[in-house]
Amino acid sequence: MTTIADFEIDASTVALGETFDTLPELTCSVEQVIAAADRGLWFEGADRSELEAALEDDPTVDDIALIAADKADGQLLYDVTMGDDAIDVFELILKERGTVLSASASEGRWHLRVRFIDHDDASRLYDRLEESEASSTLKRLTELREAPSTTDRLTEKQYETLLTAFEQGYFTIPRETSMEELADELGISHQALSERFRRAYRELVLTALNGTHPTHPEDDASKPEPNQPA
């Protein structure tokens, strides 16, 4: 069963630890899903010279390359190659078949949301972190169904929409994506997305109430969504 795990890790106990110790105001976020040895990382809170000096002095870093600089926001994007002896959290995640949905560091702590194929993979990552002496906390573990069954109240489109919204951080506080961005991701109109959410929410409430609430004809999930094929 697909599992979403939220981890919090003491940045000083893993790769880039000395960089964060040297620059306590530094924040960092991942550019994209991790899928290679090099890490695309956005840094903010330090100018280029002091950041590069800290990274070059960090024994967990083998190499860095500046990719982009956002002068308006003061952000710097680097490809960062970790050293072989570094506790590379992202490499550990890949080994346990995890997909990094989001990763950011601030105030000396990494915050990661990772999707796993099943619960056991998430458990193995936690064990690997413990064995490597990385100071980590599993903040939340959520199990998701792999696919809706024929007995579910949600339609397939409703289920896929809620799953995408969850993975994109729509339900986090604060939200990490907007209705407009979700609609674009799903290839539907804002109105259709709003209607799909309304129908899905109602079915979830009905399920929680054990189906005791009367169903209204206008909320029939079998009706086509506005401007969408039936």
Side-chain angles (χ1 to χ4, degrees), residues 102-147:
S102 65
S104 62
S106 61
E107 299 181 347
R109 304 197 70 80
W110 277 101
H111 304 274
L112 299 103
R113 176 174 298 153
V114 187
R115 181 176 63 209
F116 295 94
I117 294 175
D118 59 42
H119 181 278
D120 290 342
D121 293 329
S123 297
R124 281 194 297 271
L125 175 62
Y126 181 79
D127 291 341
R128 278 180 175 268
L129 290 169
E130 290 292 298
E131 292 167 3
S132 65
E133 298 184 354
S135 179
S136 63
T137 302
L138 179 58
K139 304 294 289 186
R140 183 172 59 183
L141 196 65
T142 307
E143 293 186 351
L144 305 176
R145 298 166 299 171
E146 293 181 355

Side-chain angles (χ1 to χ4, degrees), residues 20 24 39 45 55-58 60 83-84 92-93 98 108 112 132 135 138 140 147 162 195 197 230:
F20 286 106
R39 313 293 180 227
L55 289 170
E56 289 167 0
D57 288 342
D58 193 324
T60 66
D84 292 337
L92 294 178
I93 291 171
L112 299 103
S132 65
S135 179
L138 179 58
R140 183 172 59 183
L162 291 178
E195 179 70 9
F197 268 148

Side-chain angles (χ1 to χ4, degrees), residues 6-227:
D6 291 298
F7 290 92
E8 186 176 281
I9 301 174
D10 184 341
S12 67
T13 64
V14 295
L16 298 178
E18 289 200 12
T19 297
F20 286 106
D21 284 343
T22 302
L23 304 171
E25 300 300 316
L26 187 68
T27 63
C28 177
S29 60
V30 175
E31 162 70 4
Q32 59 187 3
V33 172
I34 298 299
D38 293 346
R39 313 293 180 227
L41 301 175
W42 281 104
F43 294 96
E44 186 176 3
D47 63 36
R48 179 176 175 179
S49 59
E50 62 182 357
L51 173 60
E52 290 187 354
L55 289 170
E56 289 167 0
D57 288 342
D58 193 324
T60 66
V61 175
D62 263 2
D63 192 29
I64 60 172
L66 179 67
I67 303 302
D70 188 332
K71 294 183 179 180
D73 293 332
Q75 293 183 317
L76 299 164
L77 174 63
Y78 285 86
D79 264 349
V80 181
T81 304
M82 307 301 183
D84 292 337
D85 297 330
I87 301 175
D88 187 343
V89 174
F90 301 114
E91 183 65 25
L92 294 178
I93 291 171
L94 286 174
K95 287 181 178 178
E96 297 306 335
R97 303 186 297 172
T99 298
V100 178
L101 300 179
S102 65
S104 62
S106 61
E107 299 181 347
R109 304 197 70 80
W110 277 101
H111 304 274
L112 299 103
R113 176 174 298 153
V114 187
R115 181 176 63 209
F116 295 94
I117 294 175
D118 59 42
H119 181 278
D120 290 342
D121 293 329
S123 297
R124 281 194 297 271
L125 175 62
Y126 181 79
D127 291 341
R128 278 180 175 268
L129 290 169
E130 290 292 298
E131 292 167 3
S132 65
E133 298 184 354
S135 179
S136 63
T137 302
L138 179 58
K139 304 294 289 186
R140 183 172 59 183
L141 196 65
T142 307
E143 293 186 351
L144 305 176
R145 298 166 299 171
E146 293 181 355
S149 70
T150 56
T151 59
D152 289 334
R153 301 190 68 98
L154 293 178
T155 67
E156 183 175 354
K157 287 182 179 179
Q158 290 168 356
Y159 173 81
E160 290 175 352
T161 297
L162 291 178
L163 179 59
T164 300
F166 182 88
E167 292 180 348
Q168 297 295 323
Y170 181 76
F171 299 115
T172 62
I173 301 174
R175 284 178 175 165
E176 298 173 4
T177 191
S178 66
M179 285 276 286
E180 290 76 12
E181 290 169 328
L182 273 178
D184 289 342
E185 176 76 16
L186 293 165
I188 60 177
S189 68
H190 183 282
Q191 180 185 0
L193 177 60
S194 178
E195 179 70 9
R196 192 179 294 181
F197 268 148
R198 187 181 70 82
R199 295 177 187 276
Y201 294 158
R202 186 174 190 281
E203 294 306 319
L204 291 175
V205 171
L206 280 171
T207 300
L209 297 174
N210 296 318
T212 58
H213 196 281
T215 301
H216 295 286
E218 64 271 21
D219 289 327
D220 184 356
S222 65
K223 292 174 61 178
E225 296 165 352
N227 302 319

